[in-house]
Amino acid sequence: MTTETPRVTAAGATRTDQPTHAALELPWTHWLFRSRQASILWLIVRLWLGWQWLSAGWGKLTAAGYGNWFTHPTGLQGFIAGADSSYDHRAQAHGHPQVTYGWYLHVLNGIDAHAQLFSRVVTLSELAVGLGLLLGCLTGAAAAGGVALNIMYITGGSAGPNGIFILLGVLLVAAWRVAGYLGVDYFLLPRPRLRRRLRAQAVGWHRETNRQHE
């Protein structure tokens, strides 16, 4: 239940104000996800995570022979074949198969028909996520893209470090306001201080207009 605080307006009428969302926010979450001081912590997180993504994408782009995802579809086809095999043997997994959803296999096998194209998409996506996180450029979007890739990999039966990547990616999405403050987002995203200044100017202009009409 929320409480309402009565307030008296200039005309003498009373009204009630609901508590703002910020008032319900825990102090430590406000510091972690909104304060510029926390940007140092997020810098460390996104540099580590960004390097992991960039290294993975760079390996797919520059590997020799069939290990090169940009020139050969073999890597993606092997991933799809592994998912099919895992699903076929799910009854032997004691109720915990690596690939649980049959509908996802239909998606993967549909991708298999265009494996070369999607191999390149995966490679470029990993590089884009890595660069976005390293540079702090549209950090929230880059982290969200990484989480989407991790979910695709896990759903296809590849665990590896994807769980840790998802956790860090979700936290970076939640901290999108300040996660890239020590990066390109400092110039791309609107700054709260500027918004407060514009709001104060608008309030001052409104009050001045009211005085002129009195």
Side-chain angles (χ1 to χ4, degrees), residues 1-204:
M1 178 181 295
T2 58
T3 59
E4 297 183 350
T5 305
R7 295 186 60 185
V8 180
T9 62
T14 59
R15 65 183 179 88
T16 58
D17 287 339
Q18 294 287 347
T20 62
H21 176 73
L24 302 176
E25 193 173 23
L26 296 175
W28 68 269
T29 59
H30 185 277
W31 180 87
L32 189 61
F33 298 124
R34 293 175 181 266
S35 71
R36 288 180 295 178
Q37 291 80 4
S39 61
I40 299 175
L41 170 63
W42 297 120
L43 173 65
I44 298 172
V45 172
R46 65 178 176 81
L47 287 180
W48 182 84
L49 187 59
W51 179 253
Q52 303 304 314
W53 278 114
L54 186 65
S55 298
W58 187 254
K60 290 180 175 63
L61 181 66
T62 61
Y66 292 109
N68 190 314
W69 282 47
F70 205 79
T71 57
H72 296 85
T74 309
L76 181 58
Q77 289 173 335
F79 174 79
I80 296 173
D84 287 330
S85 177
S86 177
Y87 188 77
D88 290 340
H89 297 86
R90 64 189 182 280
Q92 304 171 9
H94 306 289
H96 300 284
Q98 291 180 317
V99 180
T100 306
Y101 306 107
W103 62 265
Y104 189 66
L105 284 183
H106 291 297
V107 174
L108 289 179
N109 287 293
I111 290 175
D112 195 20
H114 309 280
Q116 183 62 78
L117 171 63
F118 283 99
S119 292
R120 293 175 177 174
V121 170
V122 170
T123 301
L124 294 177
S125 297
E126 291 185 351
L127 289 171
V129 170
L131 286 174
L133 293 177
L134 286 172
L135 298 176
C137 180
L138 301 177
T139 305
V147 170
L149 289 172
N150 290 136
I151 292 175
M152 290 173 58
Y153 299 158
I154 284 183
T155 310
S158 177
N162 287 298
I164 297 297
F165 283 16
I166 288 176
L167 173 62
L168 296 179
V170 169
L171 290 175
L172 283 170
V173 171
W176 68 271
R177 298 175 182 83
V178 295
Y181 185 80
L182 299 177
V184 178
D185 281 348
Y186 178 85
F187 304 99
L188 291 182
L189 300 183
R191 305 179 195 174
R193 182 167 48 188
L194 177 61
R195 291 199 299 269
R196 288 195 297 267
R197 188 181 303 126
L198 292 175
R199 190 182 302 116
Q201 291 176 352
V203 171

